[in-house]
């Protein structure tokens, strides 16, 4: 029986089952695909609204306000594009059997962390060490 057939809608990964078993992997695969689809749908909606929203606004202040709104929306879309790339990376790690394991230590990343941030590549401890090192180098 395939994991996708046995994965119930209310399934949540638990610490008392083998780490990254078929059900957990399928759970995260579905979660990542759904997240990716939502982001891409929002992007399509933004593109459509920007196409429809192109108009000649005679008032300088109104035009400046609209241009500011568009710039903000484009920055948001750029962040979404980068997030999609990270989601694709997580899906690739699932396919390669590396998902859920810290890229620094090789240890399992906690299920709680993965559920909150399925694109995580480091355990919480490794991420904190990384951020402390970054801060030290930035402060120099």
């Amino acid at each position: 029986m395939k994991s996708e057939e046995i994965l119930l809608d209310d399934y949540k990964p638990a610490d008392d089952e083998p780490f990254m078993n078929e059900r957990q992997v399928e759970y995260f695969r579905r979660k990542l695909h759904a997240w990716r689809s939502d982001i891409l749908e929002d992007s399509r909606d933004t593109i459509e609204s920007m196409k429809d929203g192109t108009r000649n606004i005679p008032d300088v202040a109104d035009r400046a306000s609209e241009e500011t709104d568009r710039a903000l929306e484009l920055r948001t879309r750029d962040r979404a594009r980068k997030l999609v790339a990270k989601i694709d990376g997580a899906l690739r790690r699932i396919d390669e059997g590396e998902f859920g394991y810290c890229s620094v230590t090789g240890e399992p990343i906690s299920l709680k962390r993965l559920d909150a941030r399925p694109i995580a590549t480091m355990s919480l401890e490794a991420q904190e060490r990384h951020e402390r090192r970054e801060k030290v180098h930035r402060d120099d």
Side-chain angles (χ1 to χ4, degrees):
M1 185 179 278
K2 296 269 305 161
S3 59
E4 53 209 39
E5 296 168 4
I6 60 170
L7 192 62
L8 302 174
D9 289 339
D10 62 347
Y11 171 78
K12 288 281 187 198
D15 290 325
D16 64 350
E17 58 185 326
F19 188 71
M20 284 302 123
N21 63 56
E22 283 185 32
R23 288 172 54 185
Q24 287 181 356
V25 169
E26 185 59 25
Y27 170 83
F28 287 112
R29 178 181 280 118
R30 288 182 186 187
K31 184 173 187 135
L32 288 160
H33 276 294
W35 191 14
R36 187 180 195 283
S37 294
D38 288 347
I39 292 169
L40 293 177
E41 185 177 325
D42 287 348
S43 293
R44 281 189 292 276
D45 292 347
T46 299
I47 291 168
E48 286 305 312
S49 71
M50 289 181 94
K51 283 181 186 175
D52 296 343
T54 303
R55 47 196 176 141
N56 189 9
I57 302 172
D59 184 70
V60 176
D62 289 344
R63 191 169 50 239
S65 177
E66 182 158 312
E67 287 176 11
T68 300
D69 290 347
R70 283 176 171 257
L72 179 61
E73 189 61 43
L74 288 172
R75 277 196 306 273
T76 301
R77 288 297 122 224
D78 188 51
R79 284 196 344 255
R81 179 187 57 78
K82 291 174 183 172
L83 184 54
V84 167
K86 288 180 179 183
I87 292 170
D88 289 344
L91 289 167
R92 224 175 0 269
R93 286 191 303 280
I94 285 175
D95 292 342
E96 294 166 359
E98 298 171 1
F99 181 82
Y101 294 92
C102 179
S103 61
V104 175
T105 66
E107 295 293 315
I109 299 171
S110 76
L111 290 173
K112 189 174 179 181
R113 177 166 168 75
L114 286 172
D115 206 23
R117 187 160 177 81
I119 58 173
T121 59
M122 289 185 254
S123 66
L124 189 57
E125 297 79 19
Q127 182 71 41
E128 287 171 346
R129 280 193 307 272
H130 174 74
E131 289 172 3
R132 277 195 302 274
R133 276 195 304 272
E134 265 187 359
K135 184 178 179 341
V136 167
H137 292 299
R138 248 192 336 256
D139 291 345
D140 288 345

